[in-house]
Amino acid sequence: MQKPNPIPLPPSDPLTWSLVDLVDLEWQLALDAEVSAEDLWDRDRRISREQLVPVLGKELVPEAGREIRSCGLRLWLEEVRKSCREESVGEMVCHGRGLMALILGFIAVTAGSGLVFGLLHREWRYFNVVHFLLATLAPQFLLLLLLLLGRVWGKIRSPSHRSTSLWRNLLADLWSKLATHAWTRRLSDVALRARTGKLGALVRPWLVWPVARLTQTAAIWYNLGIMGAFAGILLGMDVRFFWESTPGVSAEEGLHQVVATLATPWSWLAPQTVPSLSGIHDTRIAVTGTEGGWHEPEGVRSAEIWVPFLFTTLGIWGLLPRLILLAFCSWQERRMLLRQNFGDRQHRELWRRLAESGRLMVNVTGPGDDAIVLCWGGVEPNPEELRPVMLQQLRLNPVQWFTAGGLDVTTDSVAIRSLANLAGEKSAAPLPLVLIAESWGLAPRDLAAFLTSLRKELGVSPSIRCLLIGEPKAGHILTPPKAEDLRIWEKFAADLGDGGFIIRPLRGIQA
Amino acid sequence: MSDPGETPSDRSPARFAVVGRVNKGKSSVLATLVEEADNQRLRIGPTPGETTRCQTIPLTLNGETLVEFIDTPGFNQARQALAWLRAHHREEEGRARLEAVRQFVATFRNTEEFVDECRLLQPILDGAGIVYVVDASKPYRTDFVAEMEILRWTGRPRMAVMNFLSGDTSHAQEWREHLGEFFNLTRDFNAHTARFRERIRLLRHLLEIEDRHRGSIEKTIQLLESGWNRRREDAADIVINLLQRALTEKACKNASHEDTRRSHRRQQVEAKLQEEYRTQIRMLEGGQHARLSQLYRHPKAEMTHESGDAVLEGDDLFAEETWQVLGLAPMQLAVAATLAGGAAGAGVDLATGGATHGLGTVIGAAGGFIGALWKGRALAEIKIDHPLLGGGLNPGGVKLCAGPPKNPNFPWVLLDRALYHFEHLVTRAHGRRDRFVIDFADLTKAGEGSRQGYASRIGADERKVFGRWFDALSRGRAEAIGDREVFSALVQVLGRIETGELRVRSNGSLEEDC
Ligand SMILES: Nc1nc2c(ncn2[C@@H]2O[C@H](COP(=O)(O)OP(=O)(O)OP(=O)(O)O)[C@@H](O)[C@H]2O)c(=O)[nH]1
Ligand SMILES: [Mg+2]
């Protein structure tokens, strides 16, 4: 990032993205998908306030550009990371990659050197030059060509088919297998396992270049293995070089042509490394002539003719392309990290949370006029009818219904217990009680006993409003009580001596 | 929050008491204004006196209250109250009248009389501005003068809001004239139809009557607007999430070799898998639609598909009739596929360095066109994926997957349904307390064969953007093109639905049903 940075950044924090960071970001976003929106909002508002605002200030807006977003998300990630102690998933991925590189490197070196040892004729200690060149270089180039063809084929194939490319499938398979093997031991529950799969899909596009880099590194080790083993053999023993052709066929010219072509990149610089036509001629044998070994003609040192050429060829055609490819992959990887513009869905959602200057909260807590209805003595008014009456006359809203004072005395204690439980559940003040009773049916002792045990359970605090109704008329239960009945109840209340027990006769037109 | 022009006196929240005759929609106006659809928290009902005491509703930012609305019980005995006021005080100007009201409340506060009047006047005496709600769909009567007069006596800044319970606006002029005598401002606000823009407008009117709290009211409006925009973007991302997952997720299952070899058993397994897939997608759609409802504070919105007499047995999304009226017409699909195919073909041309001389584009486009015409007629049939390398590697059997339907109309149908849901959410006032049912059958009922949805009517450019993204998704190449373009297109479309510019052609289920 050479561009002049508009943001004053803390010098210790480079604010660049590495693969570890990117994977961590995606992993965190995948985790966030399972957290409630409110919690996310709280966390991100806090991080925004404490971490982002001091650095980004006025730049922290929903429509901020790529660089601001990148910077903000990086700060966010840094803060979120603080809360997890274990090795992050991104680090796991990168360590996994390191381990992979080590294993692959080892395999590659072994394969390369093994190949060279295999090419050396043990008994007679010589190399067939043509075989040597073919075996060391051709497979590498063939593989490269195949990969390239595969890519082109995938591109051509996909417009008419809906399936994804072969490489992608293979890579995805490999990835998910690796991920499950590496992580499921630590990630015990199923949801997490499912998530690793999701993450695999998310980070797959980013792994293309790192994986390519990995293969190129392995290839470099392979070539180094070849060159190392070759050098070791040359140092340790006296080996000879030849090539062969069927008798009668004069192939010197052809081989010379090939040699000259291979040497074009450097022959102008070091012509002595290129075997001359006569040198090639001197090291040729006819197939039939190999019985009992091959001996250099008088005055010919085959190693002097071939070794400089073979070594340079390995370096220029084996190692160098790999180094170039590796550099290309690294460059692409870096470019990918730099170009990441954090504009995908999850990034957008996160950024909106971070950049919104604040959310207006509307806090509606409820009217607080709830009441519990207790129907006494077998009256059962229709809730639909009673509710408006209670709303208008008592200014209370019935939310729960109980009955007591019926034929079965046990219902009384059941009601009392339920009411006590209800009062116990509510940590706030107990809901007011509304006792509905018919004014003409008062049995003072019965009701007084009930109220006493009710008070014993509930304490003195909830007020008990006694809504008195009269005789049912023309199918209406809710009629006003008669004046004389009311007087009896008022006397009853006075005798009861309970200040929280209030008589409320139903109002209405007295017939 | 250091807006210019803000003075220290602004720091206390702006308070407004919503007052009026019982049962004229005070609570409804407020519920719509603050988006409270939960009847437990803000009760609304046909019973006069549903609101029994004052209920304070604070609008807070980071714990600081900016604006406070107070729902109040309605006037019940305004005439008697005014009579008392008049009897106890001579007509004087200014403070004396306010003192009279104060004395009225002090006199009756703890008595059985004028309970509601005392409760509703208290916040006004404490300094709240007045929002007076009337039902202007009924004729004006002189008895309203009593309550208006009491409110005038308080001397507080006041605005009248004409709500229309029955939708009849013929008395509006008459009301406006009379209200004008008592109130600084008179405005319409239909609690059952008001949308976001109207809510904001009402809040702006509050600015006109209460200048002292300009800072906090403006801040509130600004926050509401930015929140609304953010919500639209959140909604777009929910829809994108839905489409993305629907086009990429599959239902998979291990089948034994035995199952796959015998054709009838194979058919059974495949049918079961397809059913599983459908269930999975229905759940996915339901979940994302529920998130939309939550986002717009309509958590109780119900999604159904009840086509009148015959209820489609849960099979709504995948019903044939749905696919015939939603999404794109075959020709539109073909064009969309042509554009997408051409784009993919152009990719080949690029890859070959132009060696194919644009042939890729032409072939890709033609392939897309023909393919879409052909598959566009197929129904919601589902593609079964068979494993790439056969089952040979896995001794336990083969993995079969039921993937997204072959029919390219699938994402368009999903899109249409999500947009339909969205339209309901943004047009539904929170003050309504009837069941909120979003019936997808309404979409399919109207037109015989003609496309009813939004997708068929959005602009060609937008369609192209969507088409290309759908295509990329179904090829597993969506990462390459990203979803930014489709996001901004979708935000655009949602914005047009909000303004009503783009609306469904159904038989008017969105209209206010009085
Ligand atoms: N159709 C229609 N009905 C409305 C409208 N506003 C309110 N209502 C209905 O009118 C009735 C009363 O509404 P509320 O909001 O409870 O009225 P309120 O003034 O708060 O009533 P109280 O609290 O009893 O004083 C309810 O049944 C509402 O559904 C409206 O704009 N249109
Ligand atoms: Mg109310």
Side-chain angles (χ1 to χ4, degrees):
Chain A
M1 290 217 236
Q2 301 298 329
K3 287 179 212 161
N5 208 333
I7 314 148
L9 300 176
S12 59
D13 196 344
L15 282 177
T16 51
W17 289 88
S18 66
L19 187 65
V20 178
D21 300 328
L22 276 188
V23 174
D24 278 352
L25 178 72
E26 290 310 317
W27 177 257
Q28 188 60 46
L29 290 175
L31 285 178
D32 284 356
E34 287 150 37
V35 180
S36 84
E38 288 310 310
D39 290 348
L40 289 182
W41 173 258
D42 287 345
R43 181 196 64 190
D44 294 338
R45 281 308 305 154
R46 181 186 60 75
I47 296 179
S48 173
R49 221 172 25 243
E50 293 169 5
Q51 308 294 327
L52 270 63
V53 171
V55 178
L56 298 175
K58 283 246 178 276
E59 317 248 20
L60 187 61
V61 286
E63 57 281 357
R66 193 196 72 86
E67 275 189 41
I68 307 289
R69 273 208 311 268
S70 154
C71 173
L73 294 186
R74 187 73 183 75
L75 286 169
W76 175 86
L77 181 67
E78 217 41 56
E79 183 63 20
V80 170
R81 266 186 189 154
K82 282 184 194 155
S83 60
C84 52
R85 285 143 279 119
E86 290 183 52
E87 184 188 33
S88 79
V89 171
E91 279 164 350
M92 268 157 55
V93 169
C94 287
H95 287 170
R97 190 176 59 157
L99 195 71
M100 231 12 200
L102 214 69
I103 295 169
L104 280 182
F106 179 75
I107 294 173
V109 168
T110 319
S113 48
L115 177 69
V116 174
F117 280 111
L119 286 168
L120 174 68
H121 197 293
R122 289 289 144 72
E123 214 175 315
W124 300 319
R125 300 192 169 179
Y126 56 71
F127 282 107
N128 180 329
V129 180
V130 176
H131 290 178
F132 186 87
L133 283 175
L134 276 176
T136 51
L137 296 181
Q140 298 190 39
F141 276 92
L142 224 69
L143 202 70
L144 216 66
L145 202 73
L146 232 106
L147 277 167
L148 228 84
L149 279 178
R151 255 196 96 70
V152 172
W153 180 65
K155 279 233 161 115
I156 293 173
R157 209 180 67 123
S158 61
S160 47
H161 296 265
R162 283 186 148 213
S163 82
T164 51
S165 87
L166 179 68
W167 300 119
R168 216 172 251 273
N169 277 344
L170 285 179
L171 198 64
D173 271 6
L174 191 75
W175 166 263
S176 56
K177 291 237 161 65
L178 264 174
T180 20
H181 282 304
W183 295 342
T184 38
R185 260 173 293 118
R186 273 181 54 185
L187 313 172
S188 47
D189 65 301
V190 192
L192 278 174
R193 253 181 246 185
R195 209 184 298 131
T196 52
K198 258 188 247 163
L199 181 72
L202 278 172
V203 300
R204 207 185 306 149
W206 301 335
L207 287 181
V208 168
W209 291 113
V211 166
R213 200 153 67 96
L214 201 67
T215 56
Q216 293 317 313
T217 317
I220 285 171
W221 282 111
Y222 174 72
N223 281 294
L224 285 177
I226 291 174
M227 290 172 82
F230 191 42
I233 289 170
L234 289 176
L235 286 177
M237 58 179 91
D238 181 28
V239 286
R240 282 152 294 157
F241 297 82
F242 75 99
W243 62 283
E244 59 181 9
S245 68
T246 30
V249 179
S250 158
E252 282 99 6
E253 292 285 337
L255 185 59
H256 187 246
Q257 202 64 49
V258 172
V259 165
T261 313
L262 283 174
T264 20
W266 73 89
S267 55
W268 54 275
L269 196 72
Q272 69 279 7
T273 55
V274 189
S276 64
L277 193 57
S278 67
I280 291 173
H281 177 80
D282 289 343
T283 51
R284 166 186 185 248
I285 52 164
V287 173
T288 46
T290 53
E291 291 135 27
W294 176 74
H295 299 283
E296 292 165 331
E298 208 47 43
V300 173
R301 305 262 307 128
S302 60
E304 271 173 23
I305 297 171
W306 285 107
V307 168
F309 170 75
L310 289 178
F311 228 92
T312 329
T313 307
L314 284 177
I316 301 288
W317 290 104
L319 196 58
L320 191 64
R322 298 307 177 165
L323 288 172
I324 294 173
L325 280 174
L326 179 69
F328 177 72
C329 291
S330 306
W331 175 64
Q332 283 288 342
E333 186 180 337
R334 236 195 344 272
R335 214 165 67 107
M336 172 199 77
L337 291 176
L338 282 181
R339 268 198 329 192
Q340 186 62 36
N341 70 2
F342 304 105
D344 286 341
R345 184 173 57 77
Q346 285 94 340
H347 305 134
R348 285 195 299 264
E349 284 173 348
L350 172 58
W351 186 253
R352 278 200 294 276
R353 287 198 297 272
L354 291 173
E356 198 179 305
S357 61
R359 185 188 288 185
L360 199 68
M361 306 290 278
V362 178
N363 193 10
V364 187
T365 46
D369 55 0
D370 292 347
I372 297 168
V373 173
L374 190 60
C375 299
W376 176 258
V379 269
E380 275 173 9
N382 178 0
E384 293 301 303
E385 264 177 70
L386 184 62
R387 208 180 84 88
V389 171
M390 277 185 63
L391 274 175
Q392 285 166 352
Q393 301 200 3
L394 303 182
R395 304 309 266 147
L396 288 174
N397 177 42
V399 286
Q400 258 168 321
W401 303 77
F402 295 96
T403 50
L407 175 63
D408 187 356
V409 277
T410 55
T411 55
D412 294 11
S413 47
V414 170
I416 290 174
R417 222 170 316 118
S418 325
L419 284 169
N421 288 343
L422 208 64
E425 280 168 26
K426 293 236 159 57
S427 51
L431 296 182
L433 259 171
V434 175
L435 189 86
I436 303 203
E438 285 170 311
S439 58
W440 44 272
L442 176 66
R445 278 216 191 156
D446 191 7
L447 183 58
F450 176 76
L451 289 173
T452 315
S453 42
L454 190 64
R455 279 291 182 211
K456 217 182 277 166
E457 284 290 333
L458 296 184
V460 289
S461 66
S463 69
I464 303 174
R465 261 158 266 215
C466 182
L467 184 66
L468 288 181
I469 56 181
E471 283 174 52
K473 276 194 196 88
H476 277 291
I477 290 190
L478 298 176
T479 56
K482 288 201 186 99
E484 59 262 37
D485 292 338
L486 191 59
R487 270 194 298 280
I488 298 175
W489 277 83
E490 269 157 5
K491 171 95 177 26
F492 167 76
D495 292 347
L496 199 63
D498 182 344
F501 185 78
I502 307 153
I503 300 286
R504 296 292 300 266
L506 185 85
R507 284 186 310 241
I509 305 124
Q510 178 72 53
Chain B
M1 269 174 296
S2 51
D3 293 354
E6 189 176 336
T7 58
S9 71
D10 290 348
R11 304 250 59 150
S12 65
R15 303 175 76 232
F16 295 96
V18 180
V19 298
R21 176 79 55 93
V22 277
N23 215 26
K24 298 299 173 204
K26 300 180 291 298
S27 303
S28 306
V29 165
L30 207 42
T32 295
L33 199 59
V34 302
E35 298 194 344
E36 184 54 76
D38 185 346
N39 204 42
Q40 304 281 342
R41 286 192 282 223
L42 197 53
R43 270 207 327 270
I44 290 169
T47 311
E50 186 69 57
T51 307
T52 61
R53 52 208 76 198
C54 287
Q55 197 176 339
T56 305
I57 300 170
L59 273 53
T60 58
L61 170 70
N62 299 328
E64 185 198 356
T65 304
L66 295 176
V67 175
E68 218 168 63
F69 289 106
I70 301 148
D71 191 16
T72 63
F75 276 107
N76 248 322
Q77 294 166 276
R79 287 183 318 123
Q80 291 88 329
L82 184 63
W84 188 94
L85 286 173
R86 286 210 168 118
H88 288 73
H89 290 272
R90 283 168 291 120
E91 281 281 329
E92 276 176 41
E93 274 314 303
R95 231 183 131 59
R97 284 174 154 190
L98 178 64
E99 281 313 314
V101 180
R102 224 180 266 289
Q103 200 188 339
F104 171 83
V105 173
T107 309
F108 294 103
R109 181 181 289 137
N110 292 318
T111 67
E112 301 275 305
E113 276 178 279
F114 299 116
V115 176
D116 296 327
E117 281 72 16
C118 287
R119 284 181 182 167
L120 78 93
L121 286 171
Q122 188 60 53
I124 298 173
L125 293 177
D126 293 342
I130 295 168
V131 176
Y132 177 65
V133 177
V134 296
D135 174 12
S137 62
K138 295 281 166 352
Y140 169 82
R141 292 291 176 261
T142 49
D143 57 344
F144 284 96
V145 170
E147 52 203 58
M148 297 196 278
E149 183 67 12
I150 295 174
L151 294 176
R152 184 157 66 178
W153 276 44
T154 65
R156 297 291 306 144
R158 54 200 177 276
M159 163 169 132
V161 169
M162 303 199 295
N163 188 17
F164 296 88
L165 264 65
S166 71
D168 178 3
T169 54
S170 57
H171 309 292
Q173 192 48 39
E174 183 188 2
W175 269 104
R176 207 167 276 129
E177 279 160 20
H178 289 285
L179 289 168
E181 293 169 26
F182 293 90
F183 294 90
N184 317 47
L185 201 65
T186 303
R187 289 291 177 263
D188 295 0
F189 185 82
N190 190 322
H192 275 202
T193 59
R195 296 199 195 182
F196 180 72
R197 285 290 136 219
E198 281 128 81
R199 305 209 300 266
I200 292 292
R201 210 170 301 141
L202 187 65
L203 288 174
R204 279 198 203 291
H205 293 320
L206 293 180
L207 274 177
E208 295 173 39
I209 59 160
E210 181 66 296
D211 199 51
R212 255 189 333 132
H213 297 282
R214 175 165 286 276
S216 37
I217 299 174
E218 273 176 350
K219 181 86 195 164
T220 303
I221 292 173
Q222 181 210 325
L223 284 170
L224 281 172
E225 286 190 323
S226 67
W228 187 255
N229 292 338
R230 179 190 52 79
R231 244 194 250 182
R232 185 187 311 128
E233 298 187 353
D234 279 345
D237 272 334
I238 290 174
V239 177
I240 283 178
N241 189 7
L242 164 67
L243 292 169
Q244 188 198 347
R245 289 175 57 188
L247 281 181
T248 50
E249 285 183 5
K250 294 173 177 180
C252 292
K253 170 179 188 166
N254 272 326
S256 68
H257 290 301
E258 196 65 5
D259 279 343
T260 53
R261 248 175 250 132
R262 304 241 170 97
S263 91
H264 72 281
R265 278 178 68 172
R266 186 193 184 105
Q267 273 169 11
Q268 269 178 5
V269 170
E270 289 187 357
K272 210 166 146 230
L273 200 55
Q274 293 189 344
E275 194 43 52
E276 254 166 51
Y277 173 78
R278 289 196 193 100
T279 312
Q280 190 177 314
I281 293 298
R282 271 187 219 116
M283 299 254 294
L284 171 68
E285 193 196 33
Q288 298 301 312
H289 281 203
R291 279 182 64 198
L292 275 183
S293 306
Q294 208 87 39
L295 182 65
Y296 283 92
R297 296 178 58 96
H298 279 301
K300 293 227 176 91
E302 302 164 43
M303 286 143 266
T304 62
H305 188 106
E306 295 162 14
S307 39
D309 5 277
V311 176
L312 275 169
E313 204 42 72
D315 210 357
D316 40 3
L317 172 56
F318 293 101
E320 187 173 335
E321 56 174 67
T322 304
W323 288 58
Q324 272 168 3
V325 294
L326 294 192
L328 300 186
M331 206 55 195
Q332 288 176 314
L333 267 180
V335 171
T338 311
L339 294 172
V348 173
D349 290 336
L350 274 181
T352 56
T356 41
H357 295 295
L359 201 64
T361 312
V362 175
I363 291 176
F369 184 84
I370 292 164
L373 265 188
W374 180 60
K375 288 183 208 151
R377 306 198 185 279
L379 279 185
E381 187 190 336
I382 287 162
K383 177 170 104 174
I384 290 266
D385 245 18
H386 297 287
L388 203 72
L389 303 172
L393 299 176
N394 187 352
V398 257
K399 197 168 158 196
L400 294 179
C401 289
K406 287 180 204 150
N407 190 327
N409 205 15
F410 175 57
W412 299 100
V413 171
L414 274 174
L415 177 65
D416 261 350
R417 285 165 59 94
L419 294 180
Y420 185 61
H421 190 118
F422 177 82
E423 182 173 340
H424 272 85
L425 289 174
V426 292
T427 49
R428 164 92 179 189
H430 292 78
R432 287 177 67 169
R433 289 294 186 261
D434 49 337
R435 261 176 84 210
F436 182 14
V437 183
I438 301 172
D439 191 350
F440 289 103
D442 286 347
L443 267 176
T444 49
K445 257 185 255 167
E448 286 300 315
S450 69
R451 302 283 145 174
Q452 301 299 310
Y454 310 82
S456 56
R457 281 175 293 130
I458 59 176
D461 283 345
E462 280 152 341
R463 206 148 56 217
K464 191 164 126 192
V465 170
F466 284 115
R468 201 173 319 138
W469 186 63
F470 292 156
D471 185 67
L473 273 177
S474 52
R475 284 179 214 288
R477 291 185 174 280
E479 298 104 357
I481 68 165
D483 57 11
R484 248 153 293 136
E485 241 188 316
V486 80
F487 171 73
S488 34
L490 191 51
V491 170
Q492 285 268 323
V493 170
L494 295 183
R496 283 165 56 200
I497 293 176
E498 277 170 21
T499 58
E501 187 191 325
L502 193 63
R503 55 207 317 245
V504 84
R505 272 192 214 140
S506 83
N507 43 359
S509 67
L510 304 183
E511 250 47 70
E512 161 79 329
D513 37 353
C514 302

